[in-house]
Amino acid sequence: MGFRKICYSFILAIALFSCGTGSSSGYHNFAPDVLNKNPIDLSNKLFFIGPQIDTLKMVIQADCDCCASNLAFINDSVFVFESLCLEGDDYFKGTYFNFKNMVFLKFHPITVSSIHYPGEDNETTWEKASDSVSYSLLHFSTLKSEWVIAASYGEDTDYGMCNRSISVEKYLDRLKFLGVYDRLELSHDLK
């Protein structure tokens, strides 16, 4: 069964549980307690992601080109994903929901890319493309009392930890300064 079918089945199950008939006692939209409990509050969290985690220093290592990224959970439903490369960075937005130790990401079809031209006074050009909607699943766990995310793609796994060097607010300020915020049309999602 493909990931999309699993995701749709999961969403359908949530909808069925939450659409119970109302009663005269004033209770509406019954949902089992297990669906209402989210141990992870991701709002205003920024994660740095890479292919390795140093468990002694508790840091993510991303020493290769195009293997580092940032994932910002802007509020309780919107995220921004930034894939970092020497020759250009890609920016995505989307929506998410979490259930227990899993987070489901739905990527919006708009992709914004910056293209860097090394040696030419760091000149950057921008491209905006549209692709199909895509999905990703993240798993959360704790390591030495810190949240760690993991996303597996075949044989590869990327790990993420909270970025301690910059807050979500400063990160969004940087995206606004670069023009990414407007190019991704984030203001429409954050109303």
Side-chain angles (χ1 to χ4, degrees), residues 21-28:
T21 59
S23 69
S24 60
S25 65
Y27 291 102
H28 302 283

Side-chain angles (χ1 to χ4, degrees), residues 29-50:
N29 295 332
F30 169 77
D33 286 340
V34 70
L35 294 178
N36 291 326
K37 294 180 181 175
N38 287 319
I40 309 162
D41 180 17
L42 296 173
S43 296
N44 297 311
K45 301 271 190 306
L46 176 64
F47 287 84
F48 181 68
I49 300 171

Side-chain angles (χ1 to χ4, degrees), residues 10 13-15 17-18 31-38 98-100:
F10 180 75
I14 290 173
F17 282 118
S18 65
D33 286 340
V34 70
L35 294 178
N36 291 326
K37 294 180 181 175
N38 287 319
N98 57 324
F99 175 71
K100 293 197 176 193

Side-chain angles (χ1 to χ4, degrees), residues 9-188:
S9 298
F10 180 75
I11 293 171
L12 178 61
I14 290 173
L16 290 174
F17 282 118
S18 65
C19 294
T21 59
S23 69
S24 60
S25 65
Y27 291 102
H28 302 283
N29 295 332
F30 169 77
D33 286 340
V34 70
L35 294 178
N36 291 326
K37 294 180 181 175
N38 287 319
I40 309 162
D41 180 17
L42 296 173
S43 296
N44 297 311
K45 301 271 190 306
L46 176 64
F47 287 84
F48 181 68
I49 300 171
Q52 296 177 335
I53 183 169
D54 184 333
T55 58
L56 295 176
K57 296 179 182 176
M58 294 299 292
V59 294
I60 299 297
Q61 294 180 330
D63 300 331
C64 51
D65 187 27
C66 298
C67 66
S69 53
N70 287 302
L71 175 60
F73 295 99
I74 298 172
N75 58 26
D76 63 354
S77 64
V78 177
F79 72 88
V80 173
F81 182 79
E82 175 184 31
S83 176
L84 304 167
C85 293
L86 290 175
E87 294 179 359
D89 304 322
D90 294 323
Y91 301 89
F92 308 86
K93 72 174 181 176
T95 56
Y96 74 94
F97 73 93
N98 57 324
F99 175 71
K100 293 197 176 193
N101 67 335
M102 297 177 291
V103 177
F104 298 89
L105 303 176
K106 178 182 177 184
F107 287 83
H108 190 274
I110 292 176
T111 304
V112 173
S113 301
S114 65
I115 301 168
H116 310 295
Y117 298 99
E120 295 184 19
D121 296 329
N122 295 325
E123 185 176 330
T124 300
T125 60
W126 293 91
E127 292 180 1
K128 189 173 183 178
S130 185
D131 200 1
S132 61
V133 172
S134 60
Y135 301 86
S136 187
L137 174 66
L138 306 176
H139 295 275
F140 273 79
S141 60
T142 56
L143 179 62
K144 297 182 182 178
S145 301
E146 290 194 42
W147 285 110
V148 176
I149 58 174
S152 295
Y153 309 98
E155 295 179 11
D156 298 325
T157 301
D158 285 338
Y159 302 96
M161 295 181 71
C162 280
N163 192 328
R164 296 181 205 122
S165 63
I166 185 173
S167 68
V168 170
E169 292 80 17
K170 295 282 185 189
Y171 178 76
L172 289 176
D173 287 344
R174 185 175 70 84
L175 294 184
K176 288 176 183 176
F177 176 76
L178 293 172
V180 173
Y181 193 90
D182 290 334
R183 288 179 176 92
L184 277 178
E185 301 170 8
L186 278 170
S187 57
H188 298 292

